């Protein structure tokens, strides 16, 4: 499937796509206090996110201010990109001072979208944005549709969330939080031997 057109003269078409939305938690508050430093860190992270998208056959459609809208023709590639990106930022956060770290949220949905003039629109895009809004800082949320496609192709540890009524979406959407690392297994203490 071809990537979305970037020319304003390109014909409009419908396409099944994995749409990824990102944003930065607490961005408005932070930019109000440290505008130039926050914008510098945002551009630093955008460079990484764009580089990773090229590695996973994705395309950055546009910046949404403190986030990106990305287009993938494969849900597997979209989730692989999300994991690689968030794991990179988690590793970076462990090494850098707190004031050098931004916490990104990522949402992924697979749906029918309207592609044209270097942009994508439609319910698939709207749902991806709402799924992203359910993610915690530093985490990834994916819709049920995405989980159904990737669960047998990727080794994922997920937490199923309660179905969410999402703003301006007619039906509740089932969402999964993707864990960056497997949960720690708690080993039950051994019972003392009987006397």
């Amino acid at each position: 499937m071809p990537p979305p057109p970037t020319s304003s003269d390109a014909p409009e078409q419908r396409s099944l796509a994995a749409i990824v939305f990102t944003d930065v938690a607490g961005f408005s508050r932070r930019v109000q206090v440290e505008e130039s430093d926050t914008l510098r860190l945002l551009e630093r992270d955008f460079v990484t996110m764009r580089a990773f998208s090229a590695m996973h056959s994705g395309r950055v459609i546009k910046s949404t201010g403190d986030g990106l809208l990305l287009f993938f023709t494969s849900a597997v590639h979209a989730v692989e990109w999300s994991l690689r990106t968030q794991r990179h930022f988690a590793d970076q956060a462990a090494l850098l001072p707190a004031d050098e770290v931004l916490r990104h949220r990522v949402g992924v949905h697979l749906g029918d979208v309207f592609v044209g003039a270097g942009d994508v629109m439609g319910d698939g895009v709207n749902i991806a944005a709402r799924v992203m809004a359910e993610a915690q800082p530093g985490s990834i949320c994916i819709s049920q549709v995405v989980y159904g496609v990737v669960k047998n192709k990727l080794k994922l540890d997920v937490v199923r969330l309660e179905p969410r009524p999402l703003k301006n979406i007619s039906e509740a959407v089932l969402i999964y939080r993707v864990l960056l690392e497997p949960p720690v297994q708690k080993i039950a203490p051994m019972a003392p031997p009987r006397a």
Side-chain angles (χ1 to χ4, degrees), residues 39-40 56 102 120 193:
L39 295 177
R40 173 182 59 82
H56 292 278
L102 298 179
V120 291

Side-chain angles (χ1 to χ4, degrees), residues 37 55 79 84 90-92 102 119 126 136:
D37 278 348
M55 293 177 192
V79 174
R84 182 173 193 161
D91 291 345
Q92 195 178 54
L102 298 179
D119 202 356
N126 296 338
Q136 296 176 340

Side-chain angles (χ1 to χ4, degrees), residues 132-143:
M132 183 271 299
E134 297 297 318
Q136 296 176 340
S139 76
I140 303 161
C141 280
I142 63 176
S143 65

Side-chain angles (χ1 to χ4, degrees), residues 135-178:
Q136 296 176 340
S139 76
I140 303 161
C141 280
I142 63 176
S143 65
Q144 167 69 46
V145 177
V146 172
Y147 182 65
V149 170
V150 305
K151 66 182 178 182
N152 295 323
K153 297 176 178 64
L154 297 174
K155 184 174 178 3
L156 293 181
D157 292 289
V158 299
V159 175
R160 180 176 158 172
L161 306 180
E162 290 296 317
R164 301 289 211 263
L166 302 182
K167 183 179 176 184
N168 298 327
I169 305 298
S170 59
E171 295 181 6
V173 175
L174 189 57
I175 295 174
Y176 292 82
R177 180 174 300 126
V178 180

Side-chain angles (χ1 to χ4, degrees), residues 32-106:
Q32 193 172 31
V33 177
E34 306 167 326
E35 183 178 49
S36 60
D37 278 348
T38 303
L39 295 177
R40 173 182 59 82
L41 295 175
L42 183 65
E43 187 50 41
R44 176 202 66 190
D45 288 357
F46 278 0
V47 168
T48 298
M49 295 160 92
R50 288 185 180 105
F52 287 169
S53 73
M55 293 177 192
H56 292 278
S57 304
R59 178 179 291 233
V60 174
I61 300 296
K62 63 182 178 181
S63 163
T64 58
D66 64 324
L68 296 176
L69 167 60
L70 300 99
F71 177 104
F72 293 82
T73 56
S74 159
V76 171
H77 289 163
V79 174
E80 286 176 334
W81 175 89
S82 302
L83 284 165
R84 182 173 193 161
T85 299
Q86 291 291 50
R87 284 173 176 158
H88 169 81
F89 290 143
D91 291 345
Q92 195 178 54
L95 300 172
L96 294 175
D99 61 358
E100 286 287 308
V101 174
L102 298 179
R103 304 270 285 163
H104 299 268
R105 301 184 300 168
V106 174

